[in-house]
Amino acid sequence: MTAIGNDIQQAAKLLKDGNLVAIPTETVYGLAADASNKEALHKLFDAKGRPRNHPVIVHIASVAQLSDWVAEVPPIAKKLAEKFWPGPLTMIFKKKPHVLDDVTGGQDTVAIRVPKHDTALKLLQEFGGGLAAPSANRFGKLSPTEAADVANEFETEVAYVLDGGTCDVGIESTIIDMSGDKPRVLRPGMLNLEMLNEVAGLNATHNNDDVPSVKAPGTLKSHYSPMTPVMLVEADELKTVLQKLNGAAKTAAVLSFKEEVVNGTDKQTAWIAVPNDPKIYARNLYGNLRKLDTFKCDWIIVERVPDHDQWSGIRDRLQRASFREDNQQ
C-alpha cells in the first residue's frame, strides 16, 4: 500500500522529480503531477486509466500565478476569483501557448483553481508551480475523500499520499467556462449558480448541451461510480422498489433521508440514513457510497435529493453515478 504521511517538503520534492503524489483539497483528494512535465503527466493519465483527450485542472497557490497559464483574464473572472478563491471553483480560460496539450486535452483552453486547504496551499507554495490534480481514483470511479481511500486504490503508481484529513466539501469543484462570450457552468458543485450570479455582472447559465463532453473534467454521462450499480428512486417509490427487489431475491444497500427501514424490506443488507442538509450530504456522499459498495449487493438504492439549486452538484454526481446505457435514468 502507498505510504501516507504529512511531510510537505518530501511531497514537493517527489513532485519536482516527476513522481505522482496524492494531495488533499477541500473538495476531494487529487492525484498530482507537475503540470509542466510531460512525462509526469503521462504517468498521471496511465495511473488513472484516463483518456488523453480529457483535460485536467491546474491547481495554483494564488491568483498571482494565473498569468503563468492564462492568456487573458476577463474582468468578471477577477471578481469571481476575489470572492471564491481559494475555494471549490474552477475557471476555464484561453491558455498561453506554452501550456501542454496533455493538460488541456489538445484544446485552446486551460482549467485553473486555487484550492481552499492549508496543506494543499503550503505544498503548492513549496512546489512553486502548477499541479495537475484530477481526483485520485481510477477513471470514472468514486472520488476519494480520505487519504486511506487513495492508498487502497493505488499500489505502486503513487509515490506518496499527503494526508490532510477528511475533505470538507466532499464533491468536486464547480467548473465555469470563462473563455466564451458568456460564462457557463459546465459542472455544478457546491458553489451553485445562484451563489455565482451574486457576483455583479456575471449572469452565468448552466447549459452545456452544445459543449463537447471533454471540454471540462467530470462531465461524461457515466462517472463517479461505485462498483455496485446505483438506482435513483423517488421517496414515495422507495418501499415498492425494495419490495420488488426482495421478491426477486435481489439484495440492496440503501442511502435515504428516512431514519428507519420501511416495512417489508427486512432483507436489506445495509441502510444509511442521511440528513436533509446539502453540505453534510455532499461531505459524506462518496464515503457513504464506498461503505455501501463494500456490502457487494445487487444494487445501491439512493433516494433522490431535492430539486433545488443548493443540491445541483449532488444531483449531478448521483445522476452520473447511476447512468447505465441500458437504462438511462
Side-chain angles (χ1 to χ4, degrees):
M1 188 166 68
T2 304
I4 300 175
N6 55 16
D7 191 330
I8 291 173
Q9 289 185 330
Q10 180 184 356
K13 184 179 186 307
L14 286 166
L15 287 163
K16 290 175 182 177
D17 290 342
N19 295 291
L20 303 183
V21 173
I23 66 171
T25 76
E26 78 280 25
T27 56
V28 299
Y29 273 76
L31 187 56
D34 182 347
S36 61
N37 183 330
K38 184 179 284 286
E39 291 184 3
L41 291 167
H42 289 177
K43 287 182 185 178
L44 173 61
F45 279 84
D46 290 344
K48 281 183 61 70
R50 185 185 182 94
R52 295 288 174 89
N53 67 335
H54 282 238
V56 291
I57 297 169
V58 177
H59 294 63
I60 58 176
S62 71
V63 177
Q65 292 179 307
L66 259 183
S67 59
D68 296 338
W69 302 89
V70 174
E72 181 181 0
V73 182
I76 192 64
K78 293 178 181 179
K79 290 184 180 181
L80 285 171
E82 288 173 3
K83 186 171 181 63
F84 296 116
W85 277 2
L89 176 68
T90 295
M91 288 191 276
I92 295 176
F93 303 95
K94 293 292 185 181
K95 74 179 184 71
K96 280 197 166 177
H98 70 83
V99 179
L100 296 173
D101 285 345
D102 303 272
V103 168
T104 68
Q107 301 175 76
D108 64 352
T109 54
V110 62
I112 307 282
R113 94 175 183 98
V114 180
K116 190 178 182 179
H117 192 289
D118 287 346
T119 301
L121 289 173
K122 288 176 183 176
L123 172 66
L124 285 162
Q125 290 160 3
E126 179 74 21
F127 178 73
L131 293 175
S135 56
N137 54 279
R138 305 293 181 184
F139 183 70
K141 299 304 179 184
L142 287 174
S143 299
T145 53
E146 303 272 357
D149 297 338
V150 186
N152 291 331
E153 185 129 0
F154 297 98
E155 294 183 0
T156 59
E157 303 97 329
V158 179
Y160 192 65
V161 178
L162 186 61
D163 192 352
T166 304
C167 299
D168 186 57
V169 175
I171 66 171
E172 300 77 6
S173 62
T174 302
I175 299 178
I176 186 167
D177 184 6
M178 306 300 295
S179 66
D181 295 334
K182 186 175 183 179
R184 288 195 289 183
V185 174
L186 302 187
R187 181 178 72 183
M190 294 310 287
L191 285 180
N192 57 58
L193 196 59
E194 181 179 340
M195 296 165 68
L196 294 172
N197 280 336
E198 288 178 357
V199 176
L202 180 60
N203 194 27
T205 61
H206 184 194
N207 178 7
N208 59 3
D209 293 341
D210 61 342
V211 177
S213 62
V214 293
K215 177 75 172 179
T219 53
L220 294 180
K221 290 182 179 179
S222 177
H223 216 64
Y224 315 112
S225 302
M227 297 301 293
T228 309
V230 174
M231 185 189 305
L232 305 184
V233 175
E234 298 290 351
D236 58 0
E237 298 175 353
L238 188 59
K239 178 178 179 180
T240 300
V241 169
L242 292 173
Q243 287 175 335
K244 286 182 178 178
L245 288 174
N246 287 334
K250 299 291 186 181
T251 56
V254 180
L255 185 65
S256 171
F257 295 117
K258 299 180 184 300
E259 291 292 339
E260 298 179 1
V261 178
V262 294
N263 293 334
T265 61
D266 55 316
K267 294 182 181 179
Q268 265 4 98
T269 303
W271 188 291
I272 296 178
V274 288
N276 195 338
D277 180 312
K279 289 185 178 180
I280 298 174
Y281 194 108
R283 185 180 302 132
N284 298 314
L285 175 59
Y286 291 142
N288 284 336
L289 290 176
R290 282 179 182 273
K291 189 180 300 181
L292 293 175
D293 210 16
T294 63
F295 290 94
K296 300 186 184 304
C297 294
D298 295 298
W299 287 96
I300 292 175
I301 305 299
V302 179
E303 180 181 339
R304 288 188 182 273
V305 299
D307 187 17
H308 187 280
D309 197 37
Q310 290 181 330
W311 292 83
S312 59
I314 298 166
R315 276 200 315 277
D316 174 84
R317 303 310 187 273
L318 289 174
Q319 196 69 35
R320 297 181 195 280
S322 65
F323 181 86
R324 305 186 310 282
E325 291 290 348
D326 59 334
N327 183 12
Q328 299 181 16
Q329 47 173 321

